[in-house]
Amino acid sequence: METVLYAIVLLPLLASAVAGLAGPWIGRAGAHWVTILGVGLSCVLSFWVLYALAWGGREVIDFTVYTWATVGDLSLEVGFLVDRLTAVMMATVTFVALMVHIYTIGYMHDDPGYQRFFSYIALFTFAMLMLVMANNLLQLFFAWEAVGLVSYLLIGFWYTRESAIFANLKAFLVNRVGDLGLLLGIAVLASAFGTLHYGEIFTALEADPEATINLFGAAEWSLATVAALLIFIGCMGKSAQVPLHVWLPDSMEGPTPISALIHAATMVTAGVFLVARLSPLFELSTVALTVVLVVGALTAFFMGLVGLVQNDIKRVIAYSTLSQLGYMVAALGVSAYAAGVYHLFTHAFFKALLFLGAGSVIIALHHEQDMRRMGGLAKYMPITYITMLLGTLALIGIPGFSGFFSKDAIIEAVGYSAGGWATLAYWLLVLGVFVTALYSFRLLFLVFHGEERLDPHAKAHLHESPKVVTLPLILLAVPSVLIGLVTFGPMAVGDFFYADGSIRVLAEQTGLDRVADGYTGVLGFMAHALVTPVLYLVLAGIAVAWLLYIRRPDLREQVTAPLAPVQRVLEHKYGFDWLYIQGFTGGGRALARGLALVGERWIIDGGLVNGSARLVGRIAAGVRHAQTGYLYHYAFVMVIGALLLISLFVVRTLFA
């Protein structure tokens, strides 16, 4: 098994190296074949590992590959921990990555950076695998940073565009804020327990759950709370939670395949995975769990609202990702880790499908992304339309589709946890399903239905995308529709993640446990939706979108006119960009200019450096007048000096 794990990790890395370094020799076809082969084999082996752990009776695998260094009693190691949580992540990452690799052949066909792009996305896959397979926080942190680095390279892949360079720099800087929190959280755990290994940290926490830490010489704080909150800051950066969410919509500046990979299987899922992996830590802090819950619920609702006013097809889906990540994080906040991870799992398929479907539309329209210049594409692109329709139905949670099971499980779990902040979170999540349905079908109607608003040149050449593009759409549509029917019971409300200790919950009964208690099967869960407000809010969102964008588009202006102030707030994304760019960044620049003017130019240059020189010059100029060249002047000075010395000697003698 260890050999298989090495192969899973190293095959994408080797493929990336070959495509990147030998690109001129192996050509474009060689670059995509070597990376697809490497990621494809990794995907097959990942599914084999998942089968072995889930159904083959294989025990959890935890071993050290090698010890990198030893600092005092702290051992810095590289190692693998593969349990059911890891295996699910491995299978999800490699499958979506494989679909993206195949799709890229068609999407990037004419791009001069073809080999470089394949090298990057294979490297991205390797970094994410190293992250989810790590058995210690050191390896996780290095992989965490590697994921961030490759995302920087891919978001700014078209580096001749100023907007792309701005977007990748924005992503890099915002994630550095989150990563600082993660690093401090790791340092707290390492200093407290003298180890970075997950298992050893969990054992130490179990032995002393009330451990405290002294911060800045003040009162003692709960060690678990401090560490969990710091680590969650890292999660907020990677998984784009308010207020560290601002980088994710701008990541659309990268090619569409990487948008799908970032939003579905890598990067943004890392934070959700990390909190689930460290569930024994978060379970010890009610404060941390409450913060996680509130941040997730706020992100889910308010970022969905921003999606309503976006006109770029990819940005609508990007804000959808922000909202769905909020649902996952909210689940973690009520100890429904299994439901959060399960939504991560189902979301990967339909969100990758939606992004790749959007990419199919974009290349068919010669890279047009404004939905106001689309319309009526269903008859020209039937495969893209049908697959995107299926992905949309999964996203909004129509009963039977994968997204329905995972999202409704989260809402029910939060609802059963109601009380205090959980009540607020519950209603934000419930209202969020209406918003999700509204912006999702707004996109579908504007792009595929209604009047054609196409550029004449684009319309003249409009046709369905090639099979290399549509095949991944079909393959992703299948799990988007069906996977919930066969996996919901064991993974979301069963003991799939609990049986081998992948996830540990200390509470005797959580909201998810109450969902599981009433679970009678997928048909019963679907029937239960008929007596909850969620399904009817979904249908209401579809109906409103149909009315405003198909039946009576003339009503849109009447509806939006009274809401113009709200619309402006949403268009400005609640002012976060202004706060960061004009406030923090602009304020920092103004402070730097002030320090340069006052501190450097006036105090250092003007006062200390040039001022010292001027002072010496003035003293020298004064002293120079004493050098007259007349002997009697010098004799007079000598006599005066001698008299002063004698006077000083007499005074000291009298008062000694």
Side-chain angles (χ1 to χ4, degrees), residues 211-246:
T212 59
I213 183 173
N214 187 287
L215 293 180
F216 313 115
E220 297 288 328
W221 292 69
S222 166
L223 174 67
T225 296
V226 172
L229 288 175
L230 288 171
I231 288 171
F232 182 62
I233 293 173
C235 169
M236 290 168 63
K238 274 289 186 291
S239 290
Q241 298 296 288
V242 173
L244 300 181
H245 65 284
V246 294

Side-chain angles (χ1 to χ4, degrees), residues 40-108:
L41 288 173
S42 181
C43 179
V44 171
L45 294 174
S46 294
F47 274 95
W48 181 80
V49 170
L50 176 59
Y51 174 81
L53 285 166
W55 299 282
R58 184 80 191 198
E59 296 295 327
V60 172
I61 305 160
D62 186 357
F63 66 95
T64 298
V65 176
Y66 69 91
T67 300
W68 177 39
T70 301
V71 180
D73 295 329
L74 187 64
S75 182
L76 308 180
E77 300 173 344
V78 173
F80 294 140
L81 167 63
V82 181
D83 52 18
R84 291 182 179 183
L85 174 60
T86 302
V88 168
M89 292 296 299
M90 290 164 58
T92 304
V93 169
T94 53
F95 178 75
V96 174
L98 178 60
M99 295 300 101
V100 169
H101 277 70
I102 296 171
Y103 177 94
T104 300
I105 297 174
Y107 192 89
M108 302 291 287

Side-chain angles (χ1 to χ4, degrees), residues 372-614:
R372 295 169 296 184
R373 299 176 184 173
M374 300 180 187
L377 294 183
K379 60 185 177 183
Y380 299 104
M381 309 180 69
I383 298 177
T384 300
Y385 169 64
I386 292 172
T387 53
M388 283 199 72
L389 173 61
L390 295 174
T392 300
L393 294 175
L395 169 63
I396 67 175
I398 293 297
F401 289 78
S402 61
F404 159 76
F405 293 104
S406 55
K407 187 186 292 185
D408 272 39
I410 291 173
I411 294 172
E412 290 290 303
V414 175
Y416 281 126
S417 306
W421 291 106
T423 301
L424 171 65
Y426 172 75
W427 285 110
L428 288 175
L429 298 182
V430 168
L431 293 174
V433 300
F434 170 80
V435 177
T436 302
L438 181 54
Y439 67 64
S440 297
F441 269 83
R442 172 179 176 264
L443 181 152
L444 208 66
F445 291 146
L446 282 175
V447 174
F448 294 102
H449 295 277
E451 65 172 309
E452 297 178 3
R453 304 172 298 277
L454 307 171
D455 178 83
H457 176 71
K459 183 177 179 180
H461 298 85
L462 185 59
H463 57 81
E464 182 60 270
S465 298
K467 291 182 180 179
V468 73
V469 171
T470 57
L471 178 61
L473 298 182
I474 295 170
L475 293 176
L476 286 165
V478 173
S480 297
V481 176
L482 300 176
I483 202 159
L485 296 170
V486 295
T487 61
F488 176 68
M491 289 182 66
V493 294
D495 64 350
F496 183 85
F497 293 114
Y498 304 108
D500 66 348
S502 299
I503 293 172
R504 305 177 196 178
V505 178
L506 298 181
E508 293 184 3
Q509 187 176 46
T510 65
L512 188 59
D513 292 329
R514 296 184 63 182
V515 175
D517 291 341
Y519 179 71
T520 58
V522 291
L523 293 178
F525 195 75
M526 292 165 62
H528 176 68
L530 298 174
V531 297
T532 66
V534 175
L535 177 59
Y536 300 102
L537 286 170
V538 169
L539 297 176
I542 297 173
V544 171
W546 174 80
L547 178 65
L548 296 180
Y549 294 94
I550 299 295
R551 184 72 178 85
R552 293 286 305 278
D554 56 293
L555 290 177
R556 291 208 300 268
E557 187 173 342
Q558 299 178 36
V559 172
T560 57
L563 299 174
V566 176
Q567 184 172 349
R568 284 194 294 272
V569 170
L570 296 178
E571 288 173 347
H572 287 87
K573 309 161 197 172
Y574 306 108
F576 280 106
D577 278 346
W578 182 91
L579 174 64
Y580 293 153
I581 297 171
Q582 304 300 326
F584 293 158
T585 306
R589 289 174 177 169
L591 177 62
R593 286 193 295 268
L595 291 175
L597 178 64
V598 177
E600 184 175 357
R601 186 178 302 176
W602 293 354
I603 297 177
I604 297 176
D605 283 350
L608 298 178
V609 179
N610 296 331
S612 300
R614 286 192 294 268

